[in-house]
Amino acid sequence: METRSTPLENRPRLPRIALSKRNRAVVRALNPMLVIYLEASRDLCETDSILFGAALAVCRIIGAKLSTSGRTTGQSSAIPAWRTRIEERIAKARALIGRLICFRSGNTRPRIVRTVRMAFAGTNVSLSQPDIMQKLTERIDDLKQKIASWGKRIRRYTERSTRFNQNRLFQSDQKRLYKSLERPMVSGTGPVLNQADTVAFWRSLWSEPVNHNEGPWTEVVASQCAGITPMDPVTITPDDVAEAVRRAPNWKSPGLDGLHHYWLKGFVVCHTVLARQFQEVLNQKSLPSLFTTGITHLVPKDQVLEQ
């Protein structure tokens, strides 16, 4: 399959698909086809590639839109689409006002004249009329009023969106809401951290092995725990995998592999293979890098960042 040799960061982003009967039927139809590939799977990484390829096939069959540029690790822009559209209107109106003022000041370059004619398109106003200066002033005032109206709309929509998000956050996580009210989130302020220095700092904490000297207290704790009955060996069954997947949200943000829980729920034939491979990992006490690698986003806490 094409996804087996593709690096995780180059995989396309799987979209959220509608929970319709047609889409569920496509997922169910692919289940028996995966048995041959899953039986030949050697480890969790290969199983993940097979499941991702199957999910990609479902998206192509149902006609879902796929991104071709790969998945980015950066955070997406927080500016909503409606605000971007209104700001574009304001920018165009301001540019038009500037050209109308230039024409009123005596600038008759062809590009300026062409813009003025487009501004009065659909009206009975001609540039040769004696009251053209008055018409220009009225048109400029009209554009200024529109800009003011659009600005008020942005403020009104922003206030409404803020109230909505705060109400929703209050229902789910009150502690986080109160923290956001005490210290609003700051983004894009202060000096930019050097990427190489940041990577080197966190790599020194997470990637370099360190020999710890725990001290004599560890021996005391070990002697106190010597009489504790060891835990019975854990056996992972397909039912355990199915139960864990069932309680997980469908479209929660995936890991580096980009595979959502929805696909683990839909491809039920993978539960047996996952149970066996997780049992092998548990017995070997070693996880593949797919499960131990993450993405770190640096979020500034204060307006002034100290290097």
Side-chain angles (χ1 to χ4, degrees), residues 36-47:
I36 300 177
Y37 298 99
L38 291 174
E39 289 179 350
S41 175
R42 294 168 295 181
D43 52 25
L44 287 171
C45 293
E46 191 169 347
T47 301

Side-chain angles (χ1 to χ4, degrees), residues 108-220:
T108 57
R109 287 185 298 176
R111 186 172 61 178
I112 300 296
V113 174
R114 185 168 58 250
T115 303
V116 174
R117 287 176 178 171
M118 292 175 60
F120 289 105
T123 64
N124 295 326
V125 178
S126 174
L127 300 186
S128 59
Q129 292 181 357
D131 59 344
I132 185 61
M133 294 302 173
Q134 180 181 354
K135 298 295 184 181
L136 286 171
T137 303
E138 293 176 355
R139 181 60 174 158
I140 292 173
D141 292 340
D142 180 62
L143 290 173
K144 288 182 179 179
Q145 292 177 10
K146 286 185 176 181
I147 291 175
S149 175
W150 289 331
K152 291 180 181 179
R153 183 181 300 178
I154 289 178
R155 288 192 293 271
R156 186 170 65 252
Y157 285 3
T158 302
E159 292 175 358
R160 187 267 172 194
S161 178
T162 302
R163 290 195 300 268
F164 175 81
N165 292 331
Q166 288 178 349
N167 291 336
R168 186 170 59 178
L169 186 59
F170 179 80
Q171 297 175 359
S172 60
D173 192 346
Q174 297 181 13
K175 182 178 180 180
R176 184 179 173 188
L177 171 64
Y178 294 140
K179 283 187 176 181
S180 66
L181 294 176
E182 293 174 358
R183 185 177 58 189
M185 183 178 296
V186 179
S187 60
T189 60
V192 179
L193 296 177
N194 183 273
Q195 182 177 1
D197 295 341
T198 304
V199 172
F201 172 77
W202 289 106
R203 182 170 291 168
S204 65
L205 296 179
W206 292 345
S207 300
E208 297 180 2
V210 178
N211 295 325
H212 297 281
N213 185 12
E214 302 294 352
W217 66 271
T218 56
E219 299 178 359
V220 176

Side-chain angles (χ1 to χ4, degrees), residues 236-265:
I236 302 176
T237 64
D239 292 336
D240 296 333
V241 176
E243 179 63 19
V245 171
R246 184 187 64 82
R247 293 179 295 178
N250 283 341
W251 303 110
K252 187 176 181 180
S253 180
L256 290 179
D257 59 345
L259 193 66
H260 300 88
H261 294 140
Y262 172 82
W263 305 108
L264 299 179
K265 295 180 181 181

